[in-house]
Amino acid sequence: MSNKSLNKINNELKGYINEASGISDKCKMKLITLVEKHFFVDLPNDNYLNIDITLLENGNIIMRDEEYKTTKKISTSSELVNRYSEFQKDVEELLEKNEINFEVKQRNNEIINLLVILLIIIISIVIIIIGIRRLLIGDLYGVLWLVIIVSYYIIPASGNRIRNRFVRAKNYLTKKFTKK
């Protein structure tokens, strides 16, 4: 096998490692497991911050400046290419499955925002009902305390945040229902 094609494979391997590291440490460890599976080496399962894997012509792997020998030696370059292509398919599948989808994440955040707004509305209705009941019973002292607590703790602490949540929810719902 030529040095050029082996360098290309090693560069792709480094790209896969960087991409898996960007997703999560768990994904990076799964990638190491795939290297072990396809190249028949026993790599350490320590969770290093940075790893560097280099594939050699005989199928051995160099990881963190230490060479790990394969149990099934590679005799031809086509065998190395076949192993790498099988490895590549599994890695592409792994990375595609774990890829972060920002559209889904944004939609989930908007749904959480709608649920928080619903909770705020329910709490507000409960507070109003409690206040009206206390007023009808004639417990002006209880109503006064309710007004003091609500005005002191809830309104100033979250005025702009609640307003921003309502604006975000209105924009999301408008976009959702006019998107057709």
Side-chain angles (χ1 to χ4, degrees), residues 134-135 137-149:
R134 289 284 147 205
L135 191 61
I137 293 174
D139 184 13
L140 295 177
Y141 189 68
V143 173
L144 180 65
W145 276 109
L146 184 66
V147 168
I148 290 172
I149 290 171

Side-chain angles (χ1 to χ4, degrees), residues 52-64:
D52 187 25
I53 294 176
T54 305
L55 180 63
L56 300 177
E57 283 185 30
N58 59 2
N60 292 346
I61 300 287
I62 295 177
M63 181 172 143
R64 300 190 59 83

Side-chain angles (χ1 to χ4, degrees), residues 79-121:
E79 187 179 351
L80 179 66
V81 171
N82 287 339
R83 280 193 197 177
Y84 181 73
S85 64
E86 290 297 318
F87 167 76
Q88 196 174 22
K89 287 177 191 174
D90 285 351
V91 169
E92 291 289 337
E93 203 173 286
L94 172 73
L95 293 177
E96 185 177 309
K97 184 175 78 172
N98 290 317
E99 187 174 319
I100 299 171
N101 189 341
F102 290 107
E103 291 175 15
V104 171
K105 193 172 183 180
Q106 179 66 27
R107 186 186 71 221
N108 291 344
N109 287 342
E110 294 297 343
I111 290 171
I112 290 171
N113 184 44
L114 288 174
L115 291 174
V116 168
I117 286 176
L118 182 65
L119 182 68
I120 290 170
I121 290 172

Side-chain angles (χ1 to χ4, degrees), residues 128-140:
I128 289 171
I129 290 173
I130 291 172
I132 290 174
R133 281 181 138 183
R134 289 284 147 205
L135 191 61
L136 292 176
I137 293 174
D139 184 13
L140 295 177

Side-chain angles (χ1 to χ4, degrees), residues 8-41:
K8 181 182 177 219
I9 287 174
N10 283 324
N11 286 336
E12 287 177 5
L13 189 58
K14 288 176 186 177
Y16 289 139
I17 292 169
N18 288 337
E19 194 171 340
S21 297
I23 293 174
S24 69
D25 286 338
K26 186 177 179 182
C27 185
K28 180 174 62 174
M29 296 308 289
K30 285 182 181 179
L31 184 123
I32 291 173
T33 305
L34 286 176
V35 170
E36 290 176 336
K37 173 185 167 189
H38 288 284
F39 296 104
F40 305 102
V41 292

Side-chain angles (χ1 to χ4, degrees), residues 1-6 10 54-61 70 73-77 79-81:
M1 173 174 256
S2 71
N3 258 353
K4 199 173 200 179
S5 58
L6 189 60
N10 283 324
T54 305
L55 180 63
L56 300 177
E57 283 185 30
N58 59 2
N60 292 346
I61 300 287
T70 182
K73 296 281 185 198
I74 294 177
S75 55
T76 63
S77 62
E79 187 179 351
L80 179 66
V81 171

